[in-house]
Amino acid sequence: MSKPSPLQAALARAAESAAAAPRSVPAEDRVWRRRLVMGDPQADLDQVLAILAHHGLLASDGWLRSDVQLISVGDHFDWGKPPERASVAASGLALVAWLAAHPENQAVMLLGNHDLGRVGELAGFSDTRFAEAQAEADRIYQGGETDEAAEQAFLARWPQVPSAELVARDFGNFREVQRTWVEHLLRVKRFRVAHAAAPDLLVLHAGVTREDLDVTRLPPAQREDANPVAAALNAALDAAVASWTRGPLVIPGLHHPGNAAQGEGTGIFYQRPSLLPEDAEKVRGTPRRRFDPRRLPMGLTQVVGHTRDKRSRAMLGLPPTGARDGVLRHLVTDGARVDYAHGAPPPPAPGAAMVVFTDGAMRECQAPDYALFDLDTRAAATAPRPEGR
């Protein structure tokens, strides 16, 4: 019998991890030879692992190589079409379990809005109740269109969610066991809001502005340093989790799940940069779903996921021509001008803020075409050459 490939071994490890009770492996003292950021892993597990294998990150035993650190920017659930719901739900859970089975400082797990949805908008659902709500939502939301009259009756029956679309599509792969895992990883402080990769380099799901940092009461003089910024954001999460006993998890001023009364969820896991005139009022105050990129904290480079190239271009008022999946992108602003382009960011400059976008629509790409961000070179990671070449 031939020896399984690292990819096959990793699939087996993930299945074993998902079948066990939720757990998180403590940090270990290691030296990282490679530190990489993975954009939103909303793709089948074999695709996620194929990307990691292509970059030479998997060991023969099915785990990450011992000298590799991987940061996932969040959104480990929800993709695909209705017939795929069961397999996609299992796939997302297996990825979360596989990541959590690594030391916490090796596989850094950041929260996305889809992860928080399990303990937010979906906090009160059992599998049975969600299936009932989803069957109704599927009749209301079809082909990208919502029957608004029917939705009003739906929301009267299901006031904990903001729309039929959220149940049918956005958070459509929910299972109770996912919530069990997410809650456990929140309570043991494995799921984080942000990770400081260098003094000027912050990794998180969707990005933060000066107004968001005002909520944390972090002094302005410390906002150019990713370490206190990450610490302040993670402390806000930990305080919210410590006081949370039931119902949706809220991080006051930073994350508010949606519901029928208040509409869609808002805050730092939902927001996207926008320069559109129609969003001028939406970018004011916190929490929100849009932010003005000119309000990013200067001196800091943020590495984020959450937004694909096509949507980024539309919200920044750029033509869709040239939009691509799989590539890294960057935004640079001096507080007045905003520039956006494909590729690695330029070297940091005084008086500037930068964002590196890593969400390349993982499920739409061939594994070799999906870029990971190398935190040390600050560019797309280079895959090793195959042996014998």
Side-chain angles (χ1 to χ4, degrees), residues 70-275:
L70 180 70
I71 296 93
S72 173
V73 301
D75 277 0
H76 301 87
F77 305 106
D78 301 319
W79 64 90
K81 298 178 180 179
E84 302 172 293
R85 284 170 176 162
S87 62
V88 166
S91 179
L93 180 66
L95 174 61
V96 167
W98 182 78
L99 290 170
H102 290 82
E104 66 179 35
N105 58 335
Q106 180 179 29
V108 178
M109 302 175 67
L110 302 180
L111 286 161
N113 54 302
H114 288 264
D115 308 312
L116 283 167
R118 272 63 197 161
V119 294
E121 290 88 344
L122 307 179
F125 280 100
S126 65
D127 284 344
T128 301
R129 294 283 283 169
F130 185 74
E132 181 183 349
Q134 190 168 64
E136 186 176 351
D138 285 343
R139 293 191 294 271
I140 296 168
Y141 178 79
Q142 295 186 18
E145 299 292 333
T146 298
D147 182 333
E148 295 184 4
E151 185 178 51
Q152 292 306 308
F154 172 85
L155 294 177
R157 283 188 289 276
W158 309 102
Q160 62 269 57
V161 298
S163 68
E165 181 182 358
L166 179 136
V167 176
R169 186 182 72 90
D170 295 343
F171 292 173
N173 305 139
F174 169 72
R175 298 292 186 274
E176 283 182 81
V177 66
Q178 298 167 353
R179 183 173 60 226
T180 300
W181 271 85
V182 170
E183 179 173 354
H184 174 78
L185 296 175
L186 284 167
R187 294 204 182 277
V188 300
K189 302 182 181 181
R190 180 63 184 266
F191 260 137
R192 301 282 76 194
V193 177
H195 172 74
D200 66 333
L201 196 58
L202 182 74
V203 189
L204 69 171
H205 184 63
V208 290
T209 67
R210 283 171 268 176
E211 291 79 13
D212 300 313
L213 296 180
D214 287 342
V215 174
T216 71
R217 299 185 180 181
L218 182 69
Q222 297 183 35
R223 297 180 185 182
E224 292 186 10
D225 189 332
N227 290 286
V229 172
L233 293 169
N234 290 330
L237 170 66
D238 293 339
V241 170
S243 62
W244 172 52
T245 56
R246 58 179 298 176
L249 174 65
V250 174
I251 310 174
L254 294 175
H255 171 69
H256 291 199
N259 56 47
Q262 298 175 358
E264 294 180 298
T266 56
I268 62 172
F269 303 95
Y270 287 101
Q271 64 187 7
R272 293 182 167 99
S274 177
L275 294 172

Side-chain angles (χ1 to χ4, degrees), residues 16-60:
E16 295 165 3
S17 300
R23 67 164 183 152
S24 174
V25 174
E28 295 182 2
D29 186 14
R30 296 188 185 179
V31 175
W32 313 121
R33 186 178 63 85
R34 301 182 72 190
R35 300 186 304 144
L36 303 174
V37 176
M38 174 174 68
D40 303 33
Q42 290 180 305
D44 289 335
L45 180 62
D46 54 358
Q47 167 75 343
V48 178
L49 295 176
I51 291 168
L52 301 183
H54 172 73
H55 285 275
L57 306 183
L58 299 180
S60 60

Side-chain angles (χ1 to χ4, degrees), residues 368-387:
D369 298 329
Y370 192 86
L372 303 179
F373 183 67
D374 189 315
L375 289 166
D376 295 306
T377 65
R378 303 199 181 192
T382 302
R385 292 183 178 181
E387 292 183 7

